Amino acid sequence: MAFVTQHQIQKFRKDGFLVLEHFFTAEECDSMRNQIQRIIAEMEVPPHCRTEFSTKEEEQLQAQGSSDYFLTSGDKIRFFFEKGVLDERGNFLIPKEKSISKIGHALHAYDPVFKQITHCSKVQQPGIGGEVTPHQDATFLHTEPLGRILGFWIALEDATRENGCLWFIPGSHTSGITRRMVRAAPGTSTCVEFVGSEPAYDDSQFIPLPISKGGLILIHGEVVHKSELNSSESSRHVFTFHVMEAKDTSWSKENWLQPTPELPFPSLYT
């Protein structure tokens, strides 16, 4: 059964993104949210694992790059916190279920609920292949050639302009990338570093993509996108993962995320 039409594929190739409303059911979304609540309820956070997550460049280098906890999270389920949610002793200042910025990076491999969603028949579609500040996913997930990464962004709740929906520059996926985050040489002060620089983007070029609970946004690896600060009282939970076209593609050894003997990159179709 085809879930994406030829017209939608053409629109994706033109814009670099595609919105598919109501792709997942409310029940599927609730099962993922409920599973996250269970995971957080059982969460024990050792002091050395309290790592803030941000995509502002300097904070990325400090909070992600200097932390072995982040760099070795590709085959584990680990927790990354919002800023300012822990006191100087590492105690939560707010309810811990509201403290999480991200849980990564192997929910798709080790959690049965998220594994089932990631590998469900709806996701296995042919023909599409190839405050978060403006960025391109290929900056962090680089391949040779480019154009082989596809992001899946699933709204587990309504995503609105008020609670931090995604914004895109349509057609911005056709000019390659200007910056990469790579593993730093052993012995340097950080684990990762940026090569190149992000250009200054014109805010007026971005368009918002509010989407209802259960909606899916497909994201080309080189399209420029961002999200604004959640200024509402509502949460905006999402599940996101990336798929790489493996045939004739080389995954950069300089990427922060690397397959391990314990968790090679799984095939989408198994």
Side-chain angles (χ1 to χ4, degrees):
M1 177 179 179
F3 290 92
V4 179
T5 66
Q6 195 60 39
H7 172 74
Q8 289 172 318
I9 292 173
Q10 291 170 354
K11 184 169 177 57
F12 173 81
R13 290 174 176 163
K14 174 177 176 286
D15 292 338
F17 58 86
L18 181 66
V19 176
L20 299 173
E21 287 280 11
H22 309 297
F23 194 82
F24 292 95
T25 66
E27 291 75 21
E28 287 171 320
C29 293
D30 290 342
S31 72
M32 287 186 274
R33 293 192 66 209
N34 292 337
Q35 187 71 349
I36 286 297
Q37 293 305 315
R38 286 191 286 271
I39 291 171
I40 293 174
E42 298 172 2
M43 172 179 67
E44 294 184 8
V45 189
H48 70 275
C49 294
R50 294 192 165 107
T51 305
E52 292 179 352
F53 178 80
S54 172
T55 53
K56 291 182 179 177
E57 182 161 332
E58 289 183 356
E59 292 173 351
Q60 269 181 330
L61 293 175
Q62 178 185 3
Q64 295 180 351
S66 63
S67 173
D68 184 63
Y69 180 74
F70 167 75
L71 208 58
T72 58
S73 64
D75 60 356
K76 300 174 182 68
I77 296 175
R78 287 184 170 173
F79 303 93
F80 301 86
F81 299 100
E82 297 284 6
K83 290 180 286 188
V85 302
L86 300 168
D87 66 17
E88 63 276 4
R89 294 185 180 89
N91 299 313
F92 289 107
L93 297 171
I94 62 173
K96 66 179 182 179
E97 64 270 14
K98 295 184 177 180
S99 70
I100 299 292
S101 172
K102 180 170 76 166
I103 299 176
H105 288 91
L107 278 170
H108 65 283
Y110 294 133
D111 183 88
V113 172
F114 287 91
K115 184 174 184 177
Q116 192 278 326
I117 290 287
T118 304
H119 293 271
C120 72
S121 60
K122 287 189 287 190
V123 166
Q124 298 171 345
Q125 323 168 47
I128 273 284
E131 160 179 287
V132 179
T133 51
H135 68 280
Q136 299 164 291
D137 290 345
T139 291
F140 308 94
L141 307 173
H142 193 269
T143 62
E144 293 286 348
L146 287 170
R148 301 303 183 94
I149 293 292
L150 178 67
F152 286 69
W153 194 95
I154 303 165
L156 305 186
E157 304 173 278
D158 292 349
T160 67
R161 292 181 65 157
E162 292 71 38
N163 74 355
C165 72
L166 292 180
W167 296 64
F168 287 82
I169 299 181
S172 58
H173 61 300
T174 59
S175 302
I177 60 172
T178 59
R179 184 178 70 143
R180 289 186 58 191
M181 189 176 85
V182 300
R183 288 185 172 229
T188 53
S189 59
T190 61
C191 294
V192 296
E193 60 190 9
F194 285 97
V195 177
S197 60
E198 200 78 61
Y201 296 109
D202 180 355
D203 280 347
S204 68
Q205 292 184 293
F206 286 90
I207 64 167
L209 288 188
I211 190 167
S212 301
K213 176 179 178 176
L216 167 66
I217 302 179
L218 297 174
I219 305 173
H220 189 285
E222 288 133 73
V223 72
V224 178
H225 57 291
K226 66 176 182 176
S227 61
E228 301 288 359
L229 186 69
N230 183 350
S231 59
S232 76
E233 295 298 314
S234 304
S235 58
R236 188 222 64 181
H237 294 155
V238 304
F239 175 46
T240 182
F241 60 92
H242 291 84
V243 173
M244 178 183 75
E245 171 58 61
K247 182 176 171 58
D248 300 325
T249 304
S250 173
W251 180 260
S252 175
K253 297 293 187 185
E254 295 182 316
N255 287 337
W256 74 267
L257 176 66
Q258 294 294 327
T260 65
E262 294 75 24
L263 184 62
F265 287 155
S267 170
L268 181 65
Y269 297 98
T270 57

